Amino acid sequence: MEPFRLMRMGVIEIICGPMFSGKTEELIRRLRRAKIARQRVVVFKPSLDNRYDEIQIVSHSDQRIPSIPVEDPAMMEYCLTQLALPVEVIGIDEAQFFDSSLIPLVENWANSGIRVVAAGLDQDYLGQPFGPIPHLLAIADMVTKQYAVCVLCGAPATKSQRVWANHQKTPSGEKILVGAHDAYEARCRGCHVRGVDKAVVVASHENETTVV
Ligand SMILES: [Zn+2]
């Protein structure tokens, strides 16, 4: 579903949801379609996110696409000025990790005719709006909210629960913690409210959380 491309205009598309909801996979799918259509695509991701690969975006299901790691949104703008030809599509993964300076850039790009597709967590592990995503959702032309599967009850999951095993050492109160499978799991609203029940968590880890 990419109706705006037919109109040859700039657009902001936001793909949001909890962890394990397939956001990156959906981002890669859209960017690949743009490449097949011979559009010039540039993909950025925050340089702090080096979970899998420095120069590629990799989904949990091992879909991948080349990307440029950047420390901040200003570096995205600089990278764009270095291109020989103007870019037509800009992809951004893990957009929640960028600060609010991303917002006017995204709007300017879209206003100048570029298709911007950004994926990111809409909420942190406490269920609070995360980084620039809430603002981007408000100004977006197209919003896709993805769902994971609650590891406790199987319901559609909209929350990312932080969970710890006893052997894990973690910084307390740290919001930015990149490392999916060990530290977080997908929860529905009801099971997220229950918080971390250690006994339940250990049992749930026997079933690997997967992207659906
Ligand atoms: Zn649940």
Side-chain angles (χ1 to χ4, degrees), residues 182-194:
D182 291 339
Y184 298 94
E185 62 187 25
R187 297 279 186 99
C188 70
R189 179 178 293 276
C191 293
H192 187 260
V193 168
R194 282 171 55 187

Side-chain angles (χ1 to χ4, degrees), residues 42-50 54-55 57 67-80 90-95 97-99 102 105 109:
V42 171
V43 189
F44 297 110
K45 68 174 186 176
S47 55
L48 62 86
D49 181 16
N50 58 0
E54 283 291 333
I55 56 168
I57 287 175
S67 69
I68 304 171
V70 292
E71 289 182 11
D72 51 42
M75 199 169 160
M76 296 182 198
E77 190 83 311
Y78 172 76
C79 289
L80 294 176
I90 297 174
I92 307 169
D93 198 22
E94 303 283 5
F97 288 132
F98 292 110
D99 65 22
L102 179 65
L105 281 182
W109 292 333

Side-chain angles (χ1 to χ4, degrees), residues 90-175:
I90 297 174
I92 307 169
D93 198 22
E94 303 283 5
Q96 76 277 357
F97 288 132
F98 292 110
D99 65 22
S100 60
S101 66
L102 179 65
I103 297 163
L105 281 182
V106 165
E107 191 140 55
N108 287 342
W109 292 333
N111 289 349
S112 64
I114 296 172
R115 177 188 179 196
V116 184
V117 189
L121 293 165
D122 48 2
Q123 303 164 56
D124 64 16
Y125 72 100
L126 296 172
Q128 297 300 307
F130 203 156
I133 299 293
H135 195 124
L136 290 172
L137 286 171
I139 64 171
D141 302 283
M142 178 179 171
V143 170
T144 305
K145 185 145 179 166
Q146 309 241 127
Y147 301 92
V149 177
C150 178
V151 299
L152 298 190
C153 75
T158 56
K159 310 280 186 184
S160 307
Q161 178 75 58
R162 178 184 275 188
V163 293
W164 311 116
N166 288 336
H167 65 277
Q168 287 176 310
K169 292 180 180 175
T170 56
S172 60
E174 180 72 41
K175 181 187 284 187

